[in-house]
Amino acid sequence: MIILGLILLIIGLLVGMGLLTTIGGILILVGAVLWILGATGRAVGGRKHFF
């Protein structure tokens, strides 16, 4: 999710589309929060393990 957000953010900045930049920024933030919660051992989405 972080990588997709970064790609959308870069494309949005290069093309000049504010919507892509906003969606990319939101995806980066959500991905970072989920990554931090998963790294601390908290259950994300009802699962303790991703695999």
Side-chain angles (χ1 to χ4, degrees):
M1 189 176 293
I2 295 174
I3 295 173
L4 178 64
L6 187 62
I7 291 171
L8 287 176
L9 185 70
I10 291 172
I11 291 173
L13 289 174
L14 290 176
V15 177
M17 291 184 66
L19 182 65
L20 283 180
T21 306
T22 304
I23 293 173
I26 291 170
L27 283 178
I28 290 173
L29 287 175
V30 170
V33 167
L34 290 176
W35 183 23
I36 291 170
L37 286 175
T40 58
R42 302 207 27 113
V44 177
R47 297 181 180 192
K48 288 190 177 187
H49 301 288
F50 182 69
F51 52 91

